[in-house]
Amino acid sequence: MNNIENNLSGSNATRPLFGIIGGMGPMSSAQFINSLYQSCSDKFSIEQDYPRIIMFSDPAIPDRAMAMKNNEGHLVISAFEERIEGLALLGVDEIIIACVTAHLYLDKLNNKSKKRITDIVKLLNSELDKQRDKCLILSSMAVYDNQVINHPNAIYPAKEDVQLVQEFIFKIKLSCNKRIHDQFIDLVYGLSIKYQTKSIAFACTELHLSNVFIKEHALELPFNIIDPLEIAANYIIQNNIRKD
């Protein structure tokens, strides 16, 4: 541990060190880091000024929705607290959990852990504050059932449509390929028409992969996509400032 701490105390130690708890799922949180650093290329002249990040990618964290359904939320809470403490020992200043459903557990964390967390749902709500129109929330069933995104500008689709989104979340998690992204985008396009909205929130971190696919293929869509992981990446970049 001492060697690691010494390595982190070099010339960049005056800037914040961010911790990310990921692995829920692994591909989306890995893409999150990739997306973040790609966004840095036109904002910083040298790589030494890029944000300092420790990613704790741990797919062993229990399924958040299943744990709640089976009254085993304590397993998720203890898993988060253990990983938060581990990142704190490495000297991180701020921690983001790359999972929207994780919001359901944040109030149950111990006070020390709570103080270290920047909640991506709160970051998303801040973005919704800027929206003039209603924003359609595409999420997992757990987020829908618990109305995790509780904002005046947020609208949820009907339960049967949420179920369709949930099915695609699992498909994207397990097999991230062009055919699945194309099918999901077709679904989203249909929902934008059905609910007459020009703003759609991809309120599950797995859907960040589809947002990246849309950007990489320069797809022109008649609606704006709000992506919590994209917002979190921008937050980290904007707060990547020297403290001295």
Side-chain angles (χ1 to χ4, degrees), residues 14-109:
T14 55
R15 288 188 290 115
L17 177 62
F18 291 91
I20 310 295
I21 299 177
M24 305 167 282
M27 288 189 292
S28 64
S29 53
Q31 180 60 61
F32 168 53
I33 297 297
N34 187 51
S35 298
L36 189 156
Y37 280 130
Q38 284 183 335
S39 296
C40 289
S41 61
D42 62 349
K43 296 179 175 66
F44 304 102
S45 58
I46 59 173
E47 67 181 46
Q48 284 73 22
D49 286 336
Y50 283 24
R52 305 167 64 230
I53 296 169
I54 296 177
M55 162 67 82
F56 194 152
S57 181
D58 191 351
I61 295 173
D63 183 282
R64 281 64 59 204
M66 191 63 68
M68 180 162 290
K69 182 178 180 180
N70 295 335
N71 293 318
E72 295 178 335
H74 62 283
L75 298 177
V76 177
I77 294 167
S78 61
F80 282 152
E81 289 180 344
E82 179 182 341
R83 286 146 186 83
I84 291 167
E85 182 60 27
L87 287 170
L89 289 173
L90 292 175
V92 301
D93 299 289
E94 200 167 345
I95 297 171
I96 291 175
I97 300 177
C99 174
V100 176
T101 312
H103 176 83
L104 294 170
Y105 295 92
L106 298 190
D107 282 345
K108 299 177 177 64
L109 297 174

Side-chain angles (χ1 to χ4, degrees), residues 226-241:
I226 300 176
D227 179 350
L229 286 188
E230 191 171 61
I231 295 168
N234 289 333
Y235 173 85
I236 289 173
I237 291 170
Q238 291 169 6
N239 287 276
N240 181 47
I241 56 176

Side-chain angles (χ1 to χ4, degrees), residues 134-151:
K134 295 294 184 181
C135 178
L136 184 66
I137 307 298
L138 302 188
S139 69
S140 67
M141 190 61 72
V143 169
Y144 168 82
D145 286 340
N146 292 278
Q147 300 287 288
V148 167
I149 317 298
N150 185 13
H151 190 281

Side-chain angles (χ1 to χ4, degrees), residues 201-213:
F202 281 10
C204 174
T205 50
E206 299 296 342
L207 301 184
H208 177 66
L209 295 166
S210 285
N211 188 30
V212 170
F213 177 87

